[in-house]
């Protein structure tokens, strides 16, 4: 960190904490955010970032105008304890100076024959890796256009708990797939919550035209210039 960057921690007083009761505040997500960008020269950015709950650590870089996150919560705080809420109790994720915490963030750019064809990524905690994988498989292996690839139902399995999350589990058109997985011994969660928010850009290999698809699951939009 440059010496000219000063950190400032602001703890709101009672009057500030209650300001929301008197003044309407804009809605602000507490979750990780992802955006994909490709400029007119073909330069691309896949950016997945998080504050880890609202306002992160509440530490602002003075002069920088941005908040620092609270990713310390992704370290193992209770050695030996692993629970269903996502805490991993293995020694690899213990808090140690200089160590990077466990993370599933997967900002991704896909290239074919040395040329960019897909920019994608997603929020979603442990589901992020599988959300990105589903988007890539849909475009690269199943030949879907980017709109269909982003809209398609997603599947997630994270070992613990040993159950499958599948957005299409209750859809009649997905019954055959679900039955095949159950026959292999997989158990499905009853909940079919939306998974991820994979705002993506696909670049046509022939025309090099850009096609953006905003994910309907959380919100956002695709825009060009």
């Amino acid at each position: 960190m440059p010496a000219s960057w000063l950190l400032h921690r602001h703890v709101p007083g009672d009057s500030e904490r209650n300001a929301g009761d008197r003044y309407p505040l804009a809605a602000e997500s507490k979750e990780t955010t992802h955006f994909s960008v490709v400029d007119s020269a073909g330069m691309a950015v896949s950016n997945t970032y998080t504050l880890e709950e609202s306002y992160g650590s509440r530490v602002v870089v003075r002069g920088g105008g941005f908040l620092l996150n609270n990713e310390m919560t992704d370290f193992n705080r209770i050695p030996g304890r692993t629970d269903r809420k996502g805490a991993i109790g293995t020694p690899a994720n213990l808090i140690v100076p200089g160590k990077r915490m466990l993370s599933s963030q997967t900002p991704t750019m896909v290239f074919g024959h040395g040329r960019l064809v897909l920019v994608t990524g997603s929020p979603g905690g442990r589901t992020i890796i599988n959300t990105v994988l589903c988007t890539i498989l849909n475009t690269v292996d199943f030949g879907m256009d980017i709109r269909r690839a982003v809209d398609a139902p997603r599947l997630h399995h994270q070992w613990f708990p040993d159950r499958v999350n599948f957005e299409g589990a209750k859809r009649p058109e997905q019954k055959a797939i679900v039955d095949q997985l159950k026959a292999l011994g997989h158990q499905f969660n009853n909940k079919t919550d939306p998974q991820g928010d994979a705002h993506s850009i696909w670049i046509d290999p022939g025309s090099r035209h850009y096609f953006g698809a905003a994910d309907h699951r959380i919100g956002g939009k695709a825009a060009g210039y």
Side-chain angles (χ1 to χ4, degrees):
M1 178 178 293
S4 59
W5 283 17
L6 300 178
L7 304 183
H8 172 65
R9 181 177 180 87
H10 174 65
V11 180
D14 291 338
S15 61
E16 292 173 285
R17 294 191 189 99
N18 298 327
D21 298 334
R22 301 193 303 275
Y23 307 105
L25 301 177
E28 180 64 31
S29 170
K30 295 181 180 180
E31 288 78 29
T32 303
T33 299
H34 175 82
F35 59 83
S36 299
V37 179
V38 182
D39 69 11
S40 58
M43 301 292 288
V45 172
S46 177
N47 187 305
T48 307
Y49 70 95
T50 186
L51 289 176
E52 197 73 12
E53 298 300 335
S54 186
Y55 294 99
S57 62
R58 297 189 179 185
V59 174
V60 177
V61 176
R62 183 171 294 170
F66 57 88
L67 290 156
L68 299 182
N69 65 27
N70 191 23
E71 279 297 305
M72 291 296 290
T73 60
D74 274 351
F75 276 118
N76 173 21
R77 299 181 296 278
I78 307 176
R81 175 179 171 181
T82 297
D83 60 35
R84 293 179 181 271
K85 293 183 178 180
I88 302 296
T90 57
N93 204 41
L94 291 174
I95 298 175
V96 175
K99 182 187 285 188
R100 184 165 59 183
M101 69 293 293
L102 177 150
S103 175
S104 298
Q105 290 194 1
T106 317
T108 299
M109 291 186 283
V110 179
F111 291 79
H113 304 290
R115 305 185 77 183
L116 180 69
V117 294
L118 178 65
V119 184
T120 190
S122 178
R126 290 185 179 186
T127 69
I128 291 175
I129 296 172
N130 284 329
T131 295
V132 173
L133 177 62
C134 286
T135 305
I136 295 172
L137 291 177
N138 288 340
T139 55
V140 175
D141 291 337
F142 300 119
M144 295 183 186
D145 61 62
I146 194 62
R147 181 71 272 163
R148 289 175 59 213
V150 170
D151 289 346
R154 294 169 182 153
L155 181 144
H156 174 69
H157 194 296
Q158 62 183 38
W159 168 68
F160 185 81
D162 189 10
R163 300 181 72 87
V164 176
N165 293 335
F166 180 45
E167 289 182 325
K170 296 181 180 180
R171 301 182 188 180
E173 66 271 24
Q174 305 293 341
K175 184 177 185 304
I177 295 174
V178 173
D179 288 345
Q180 290 178 42
L181 290 172
K182 287 182 177 179
L184 293 172
H186 292 288
Q187 299 182 41
F188 281 74
N189 282 326
N190 293 324
K191 297 175 66 177
T192 54
D193 295 336
Q195 177 181 317
D197 194 39
H199 300 316
S200 305
I201 300 171
W202 181 71
I203 298 91
D204 184 285
S207 67
R208 304 306 296 170
H209 290 165
Y210 305 160
F211 296 87
D215 201 323
H216 62 82
R217 291 167 175 82
I218 297 180
K221 67 177 182 179
Y225 60 93

